[in-house]
Every structure is written in C-alpha cells, then in structure tokens.
Amino acid sequence: MENITDLQETTVQEANRLITYLQGNSSHILLFGLRVLFAIAVFLVGRKVIHFLSKSVDRFFGRTIKEENEHHFMFSLSKAGMYIVLAGILGGILGIPSTSFAALIASIGVGVSLALKESMSNLAGGMILLMTKPFIAGEYIREDGHGNEGTVEKIGLFYTTLITPDNQVIHLPNGILANSGIINVSGQKERELRCTVGISYESDLKKAKALIMGILDREELVLDDRQKQVFVDELGESAVVIGWRAWVSTENYWKAKWNITEQIKLGFDEENIEIPFSQLDVRIRKEELERIRIDRESTKEK
C-alpha cells in the first residue's frame, strides 16, 4: 500500500513538472510547431517546384548534350543537387544552423564514401569517361586489363554495358575502364588490313605477289583511293613470308579480311603455289644405315 502511495506521489510530481515546463515554454513550443508546419508546406511546394524544374533541365540537357548517357547522368546529378538545396532550406526553417547542416552532409558523405568505396570509384570513373569520351555508345572497344571487348550499349553511372559479337552482355565497372588501356576499334571510319601468308621457296614469288595484288584490286570492299601494298615480309626457315596491306571501311573489316584470305588460298591452289606447313626432314647417313643392317642380322643369328 505504501508503494502505491509513493508511485502516485511521483506521478503527480512529474505531471506538475511537465505542466510547469509547458506553461513556461509555451511560446517556444508554439513557435517550433509553426516551424514544423511551415517546413512541411515548404517541402510539399519544393517537391513540386523540383518536378517542374526537372522537366526544364531535362529539355536543356537534351538540346545541349547529344550523348544519351551523358544526358541522363547530368540530369540525375542536377536533380540530386536540387533536393540537397531543398534539404538545406528545410534545415534553416527548423532552426538548424547552416554550418551544422554542412557538417552533417559532410559526415554523411564521408560515411557513405567509406562504405561504398568501390561504388564511389565506379561513379568517379563514369564521370571521367563521360568527360574524356574515349568511346561512345555504338562503338566497339577492347579493354586491355581483363581482355573484355564488345560494342558499347550504354555508359551508366557505375557500369558500362558491352555486347559481345556472340550477343553476350558484359557489365564492366567504370573504375576498371577509367584505369585501363582502351582500344577503340571503331573510333575511325577506316582501318588498314595487315596480313601475311607464306609460300614455299620453290614457288614463283613474283606470280604469288601479282596474284595477291590482283585479288586486292578486284575486292569491292577494299578502298581504291588508299594505298595497297604487297611485299616480302620475311625469309623464314621454311617459307617466304609475303605481307599485304589494304584499307577498308571499319564496318567491313572482318568481311573483307575473310574474303581476301579465301581468295588467296583458292588462287594459290589454281596456280600450284605451295603454302608450306611445319615439317621435319629426317636424314640418315649411309654408314648409319649399314650399321643398323649389320645389327639386325646379328640379332637374327642369335
């Protein structure tokens, strides 16, 4: 019974303290409530303003930035910036000092950066790729670091998507691409074909060179306004290596290479020009053969 009486007295005391506090700080509480209501109103209005401005920003980037991936990247970045500004305004309305808000944003940024170190690296890599533009969507690239290659489908904030010739999808982190050597295969409209073929030393060298030059002249995919060359590239151990060069459109590179290689093989066959293959000639001296014959006869007699 005594414990119940003590609990009632304690409850009454705490209630009296709360009433006294509310009476003494009623003006501050009312002011804070009004600030919260005003902040909610500003947030609702600000969200609609951002939605309206986002459309204008999207149209602006659509006119000034032709690259679709860069356009989306800058739009997302601008929209995030507008929400950060709105958050700063709301903090000021609620009485949060601007220095404290800036410190809070900085602290959050540091924490996020440490937790998402790789993702931030990829984000930075995406910004570098969009600014330097070593390639754009639709171009065929090779990445030296891991040997990945394919046609660029899109450059995202964190990953770049490649489509391989056999239609596989590769998602490469932008951080890797930004720190690796990149070969832009389709960066130029024209490419030079460079190939070699070996013929035997007994074959007619001049005929072989003339045959290859004739194939290059007849091939429709070879550009006639660029130089074509056929030359002796090397005198190998078992073959005379003939090299040839010609220019083609980048989009026709592989088709032209396959056509010319096939025509060279067929032409060599018709003209009896031999393409040697690796072989080993074994020669045994007459004295050695005689010794082997004597050894065999001795074995039989035994």
Side-chain angles (χ1 to χ4, degrees), residues 4 22 27 36 59 68 78 81 84 91 126 139 180 183 191 203 225 260 274:
I4 296 176
L22 293 175
S27 58
V36 171
R59 288 194 296 268
E68 183 178 356
S78 301
I84 290 176
E139 292 183 336
S180 299
I183 300 174
R191 285 186 66 185
S203 298
D225 58 340
I260 295 170
E274 181 185 358

Side-chain angles (χ1 to χ4, degrees), residues 88 114 146 257 294:
L114 292 175
H146 301 81
K257 184 179 186 300
I294 293 173

